Amino acid sequence: MAKIILNPSLLKVRRQTVKWLIIHHTAEMYKEPQAKVDNPIYQTPGIFNGVLELKQADVNYHYVLEKIKEDYVVITTRPFPYLCEWPDIPNDINKRALHIALLGNYDFKIPDKRLYDILAYRVLNPMLKMFAIPPSKIKLHKDVSTDKEVYCPGEFVEIDRIITSVRKFVIK
């Protein structure tokens, strides 16, 4: 797998505090066929090759959750001081959002409880606490997109299950 050249000068710096957490799945992002195959052996290299193919500075998510062996692991793909740019998300949301992707295609598979729990415990709850934002600011990509054809993060990802997991792991 080729290495992404780390060039932060190509990225836009966040100038406003984080107010939104947007959930995606990785099947939407890159045109490379391997990036759409729902198997991490193919998909992770496909995502990185897609970044190189599009001459992007970095993966267009701040975090990606990937299943490695028996459990889910959170991978930081873009430090959160830098913006991820999504042309279908209004600027007032996009400039204040962190983008979290679930590796895979959730139009074809149902996320298990453990994925929701790891997402809440390792990513969402710390960000909610750090930026003092309520769970109501967690959104699915399709819910903030101006493109009515977008159905990301897939048919089977449920915002209610995400919020239930978040409430279970509230940091006091």
Side-chain angles (χ1 to χ4, degrees), residues 2 9 11 21 25 37 68 101 108 112 117 123 137 139:
S9 66
L11 299 171
L21 303 174
H25 65 169
V37 174
I68 298 177
F108 299 120
D112 60 28
D117 285 350
V123 181
K137 297 294 186 170
K139 299 292 182 186

Side-chain angles (χ1 to χ4, degrees), residues 8 10-16 18 20-24 28-30 47 51 56-64 75-101 141 144:
L10 297 176
L11 299 171
K12 290 184 182 171
V13 175
R14 178 183 316 283
R15 301 288 180 208
Q16 299 172 305
V18 172
W20 301 92
L21 303 174
I22 311 297
I23 310 297
H24 303 262
E28 69 181 340
M29 186 64 186
Y30 298 104
I47 290 168
V51 169
Q56 293 175 317
D58 208 343
V59 176
N60 203 31
Y61 306 111
H62 293 99
Y63 301 97
V64 174
I75 302 165
T76 302
T77 49
R78 182 174 292 188
F80 64 77
Y82 299 108
L83 293 174
C84 292
E85 298 188 78
W86 291 85
D88 65 313
I89 297 177
N91 270 340
D92 60 324
I93 294 173
N94 202 43
K95 287 185 176 183
R96 301 189 78 172
L98 289 180
H99 298 269
I100 301 113
H141 182 185
V144 295

Side-chain angles (χ1 to χ4, degrees), residues 124-160:
L124 299 177
N125 283 46
M127 294 301 149
L128 293 173
K129 182 75 171 174
M130 184 184 311
F131 296 109
I133 54 178
S136 62
K137 297 294 186 170
I138 300 169
K139 299 292 182 186
L140 304 179
H141 182 185
K142 65 185 173 190
D143 295 334
V144 295
S145 177
T146 56
D147 181 349
K148 298 307 169 204
E149 300 293 312
V150 169
Y151 208 74
C152 171
E155 185 176 343
F156 294 115
V157 175
E158 300 174 45
I159 191 68
D160 293 340

Side-chain angles (χ1 to χ4, degrees), residues 40 66-73:
E66 177 179 5
K67 189 168 190 177
I68 298 177
K69 295 185 181 179
E70 299 303 315
D71 208 358
Y72 292 93
V73 175

